[in-house]
Amino acid sequence: MSIGIGLSTEKDSFLATKDALQRAIKNIRQERVDLAIIFSSIEFAHSRTVKTINSLLGPVPVVGCTSAALICNEGIFKHGIAIMLLNFPQGVYFKTASAAEINSKNAFEAGEELGEKLNLGFKDIQRRLAIILSDGLMEDGSGFIYGIQEKLGGNFPIVGASASDNLRFLRTMIYSHQEVITNAACGILWGGSLNFGLGIKHGWKPLGKPRHVTKAEGNIVYEIDGAYAAKLYEEYLACDVAQLKKELKIVSIFYPIGVYLADKEEYLVRNILAIRNDGALVCQGNIPSDSQIRLMIGTKESCLAAAREAAGQAKKALVSGKAEFVLMFDSISRYMLLGRDAVKELEIVKNEFGSGVPVLGFYTYGEQGPLSAVSYQGKAYSHNQTITLLAIGG
Amino acid sequence: MPGIPSIISTFFSIAAFAVTASLAVLLFSKVKTVKNLNEKIDDLEKSLDEMDEQAKLIVRTDVELNKAQEELAKKITGLYALQRLARAISTTLQENMIFKMIEPANLEDLGFELACGFLWNDKERRFALYLNVGYSEDEIKIVRSSVDADKNFYLELIKNGKTFSPISHPENEALIKRTDDVFDVAYFVVCPILPKDGSKGFLFVGTRRTDISLTEGDQELITILANQMAQALENARLFEKIWLSQQELERKVEERTRALTLALDTVKAISKRKTDFISSVSHELRTPLTSIKGYASILTAEKLGALPAAAKERLEKINAHSDELVHMINDLLDIARIEAGKTAMKTEEQKIESIIDHAADIISIQCKNKNIELITDIQGNIPALLLDRSQIERVFINLLGNAVKFTPQKGKITVRAGLKDNQLQVDVSDTGIGIPPDALNQLFQEFYRVDNPINQQVKGTGLGLSLVKHIIEAHGGNISVESTPGKGSTFSFTLPLKKP
């Protein structure tokens, strides 16, 4: 497998795309390019960028999305465009697909649609892994991922990230072949001889008494312990709903809700997207009724410790122990919590896999993947606040 | 005596009692355990509640910490961005480039993603857009027309020099709402840009993000930025002004130089014509004059027969006047030759002392006649110089002759020679009648004669000092004069030393 990554921070989208692509081509040292993966800041998300890629690269499948900040070996960049070119050896297969207008459809059905498209043409080939990039402002992300899971198989490993838009929360974009589209998702289904390792960790710790969700539906929690859900935050933060709404960003990043999964002995973290006037909490990802939940708290140390754990897990699972490249989907919450120390996470990943291994990723509005990451055979969940590392071996 | 049944019944009674008793004991202990357990549960619940209360305290403290940390991080990031911007702006000397320095990345670090900059165009009576960050072409069109419509508001803002934001003017809800709508933002800061001279304007920054709130710190940073921009505009305009005036100056100097060169060329041409004219006229005059003088000499010598005394006297006058004319024509020719560069100085190593002595000898008779004291003061260390002896003698004879002419009886003439500033300096001073200041400038011009009683009586050509000047300059020296009317004059000239 040959990899070439190129990054550019030029301001003009044509120049930046050309610059990034030229660097990637130089790094890949192969004539044939099989696949291009693109992450960019939101200002590059227009047709000129895609046209430039197509005219310079020819008819190569392109997938990607917009970011809140780019991650690559050189560092973290709020603005820019990063392009990864891949050349696969014989025996590795892949298929790309996209689904549009997903917010106007039922999330589960939209997920099924993408799953079905990805499956096409994989009849006699052993499927290995799916990577999904989806709209970052989708409310029912869990439903969408369950829909894909339904079509790919109950235990099929799915890893994904939600696109972001430099913290504007206006619209996120997906790159798919000749298009750049909002309100969409795209994916890559991999098959054949491919080995990979996965690590997903958040590092947030439970705090205070366990609570019970007494009324919930999808991603909306109405009642906790019989009272309106927002009361939980009112009690802990000693402020009313109006104030809470104002400080939602801090609440959401620093004190998300942890849903206890008894069989996995793990907490699934849920960000709060909005507080409704009736005191219901709109979460990023679903919380089933009767769940046991805790308020979660994160610190820089616990965050970095989780990054080390995730990197260790992902590396351990590689057959050869050596990664060809690493995809890093890192929650924007971690970027905000770590602030200037955000680059330390990247250092941890580079140290674990070796500084010569190409790393590409971005800060997301959400991550998807199986919970028991060691076996990564299992249902994919919608996560918040995690560092999700996907290491692809030879 | 009790029967067996009675014994049995007693046994059973005892047994029943024992069982009951033990059951009671058991029950009692169970009840106690339950009670203990309940107490423990109560304790646990209590400590759990206490723990939860502690958790609340932890969260609240953590919130405060995080907020403070975030505010600090934001400030630091903002300050760094401001520093970067200030550095870029302050080194920019072009007006429109100052605005272009405000780039999205720096703006974002200041907490905003949208910005516009306007400067007032007095001619068109409207604000001109100089900066647009984050607005699409369609959006900026709307912004421009709204700013046009509200121009009086912005002009007032500039006049008052006040920053306008939801923090600075919270009471002005209608205007805040209007600004939010016009610029399509959640928060904004509008800050006037006030350079001392030239057109003023304002900087608008805004954000569409609703999850953050505007702080006084943000407003402060933007105000500083606007002030920096004003300062940079002042510098740019000053630079432009200086540059323009320098250009103007250079143009004027060039123009003048051209005019002067032209005038100099004209002067040179005229001067050459004059020299040529004098030269040819003198030559033409010399031939008939030579015949006149020749015939006059023959007649005076009475070679053609004796002459009556009266005729002889007249002929001698003709002869004397002819001599004067010849002298004058020779001087004129010399000047013309030197000017035309035709006379090369025949330089040889000469001791100045011997030249002065020789000249003094010649002039001493005249001095004695007028009872004038002639002093020569020559330093001993003067080396030999490269000079045209006959010409330099002419200089001394001319200067000393003049001195004698204008110095009354019992006066004093001093010739001083010495080394000064690596050249020879000679001063010829007298105690004569002096030269009026207004005549000093023209003294060395040809045919110039100072208007005084002596000159009215004594004849002269007005060529002597001009010739002296020409000779000194041809040797690479300079001549000057200082004089106090009634007290005396000093003619000073320099001659370069022979190069080693």
Side-chain angles (χ1 to χ4, degrees), chain A residues 11 78-79 167-168 207-209 211 235-238 246-247 249-250 254-255 295 297 300 340, chain B residues 48-49 52 55-56 59-60 62-63 66-67 69-70 76-77 80 103 108-109 209 211-212:
Chain A
K11 281 171 198 79
K78 272 194 189 171
H79 297 273
L167 284 169
R168 291 176 196 176
L207 187 78
K209 270 205 298 197
R211 314 275 179 152
E235 273 180 24
Y236 278 98
L237 276 78
K246 257 198 202 164
E247 291 172 358
K249 191 184 88 179
I250 279 197
F254 295 115
Y255 319 104
L295 191 76
I297 188 166
K300 287 187 182 186
R340 287 168 182 279
Chain B
L48 196 60
D49 282 339
D52 203 40
K56 285 173 190 168
V59 170
R60 285 167 206 169
D62 198 50
V63 168
N66 280 327
K67 272 191 200 165
Q69 204 173 12
E70 199 190 14
I76 291 171
T77 315
Y80 272 123
E103 291 180 344
E108 207 166 275
D109 284 348
R209 285 173 58 183
D211 59 318
I212 51 167

Side-chain angles (χ1 to χ4, degrees), chain B residues 36 76 110 136 155 158 196 303 314 368 420 458 488:
Chain B
N36 275 343
I76 291 171
L110 283 167
S136 71
L155 284 173
I158 288 167
K196 280 194 198 104
K303 283 179 184 168
R314 305 298 191 278
K368 268 183 198 151
K420 193 182 172 190
V458 187

Side-chain angles (χ1 to χ4, degrees), chain B residues 92-104:
Chain B
T92 307
L93 288 170
Q94 269 175 290
E95 240 181 85
N96 50 350
M97 283 310 286
I98 291 168
F99 286 92
K100 293 229 165 71
M101 290 295 151
I102 302 191
E103 291 180 344

Side-chain angles (χ1 to χ4, degrees), chain A residues 139-394:
Chain A
E139 273 207 0
D140 189 8
S142 302
F144 182 70
I145 213 78
Y146 295 155
I148 298 173
Q149 191 87 63
E150 179 70 26
K151 287 293 170 186
L152 294 183
N155 285 321
F156 190 77
I158 298 172
V159 183
S162 304
S164 45
D165 66 342
N166 289 70
L167 284 169
R168 291 176 196 176
F169 300 100
L170 295 173
R171 56 179 190 166
T172 67
M173 309 293 275
I174 298 293
Y175 291 100
S176 173
H177 297 267
Q178 320 270 329
E179 290 178 305
V180 49
I181 35 178
T182 188
N183 199 354
C186 65
I188 311 165
L189 183 60
W190 250 302
S193 52
L194 183 84
N195 96 81
F196 64 93
L198 183 61
I200 303 180
K201 287 284 167 196
H202 53 74
W204 261 253
K205 304 286 178 211
L207 187 78
K209 270 205 298 197
R211 314 275 179 152
H212 272 93
V213 175
T214 43
K215 191 180 169 195
E217 208 183 305
N219 63 326
I220 299 168
V221 180
Y222 293 97
E223 282 176 17
I224 297 169
D225 289 336
Y228 61 95
K231 190 161 184 274
L232 175 77
Y233 282 102
E234 284 182 345
E235 273 180 24
Y236 278 98
L237 276 78
C239 58
D240 58 19
V241 171
Q243 246 177 311
L244 267 175
K245 279 184 177 176
K246 257 198 202 164
E247 291 172 358
L248 195 62
K249 191 184 88 179
I250 279 197
V251 169
S252 190
I253 291 171
F254 295 115
Y255 319 104
I257 286 176
V259 184
Y260 188 64
L261 302 175
D263 52 340
K264 312 274 182 188
E265 292 181 2
E266 279 235 44
Y267 284 93
L268 206 55
V269 176
R270 290 285 176 256
N271 276 351
I272 311 300
L273 289 179
I275 297 171
R276 297 205 331 195
N277 287 337
D278 60 0
L281 300 173
V282 182
C283 301
Q284 198 178 9
N286 68 331
I287 299 182
S289 227
D290 209 28
S291 302
Q292 194 200 88
I293 60 161
R294 301 278 288 274
L295 191 76
M296 306 291 277
I297 188 166
T299 66
K300 287 187 182 186
E301 287 69 30
S302 64
C303 228
L304 293 174
R308 267 186 286 274
E309 267 182 71
Q313 257 183 20
K315 194 184 173 191
K316 212 169 124 192
L318 287 174
V319 176
S320 60
K322 193 182 173 318
E324 291 284 341
F325 71 92
V326 177
L327 283 178
M328 178 167 167
F329 300 139
D330 209 1
S331 167
I332 188 64
S333 302
R334 303 173 76 83
Y335 183 75
M336 292 167 101
L337 180 77
L338 287 168
R340 287 168 182 279
D341 292 332
V343 77
K344 283 188 184 168
E345 276 197 321
L346 176 61
E347 294 307 322
I348 288 169
V349 173
K350 285 201 310 202
N351 280 342
E352 184 69 38
F353 290 97
S355 57
V357 174
V359 177
L360 181 68
F362 70 99
Y363 283 97
T364 70
Y365 287 170
E367 312 79 44
Q368 296 89 39
L371 239 178
S372 55
V374 184
S375 65
Y376 45 77
Q377 292 290 326
K379 190 173 159 188
Y381 287 89
S382 199
H383 300 267
N384 291 147
Q385 331 287 78
T386 71
I387 174 168
T388 299
L389 295 168
L390 176 64
I392 304 284

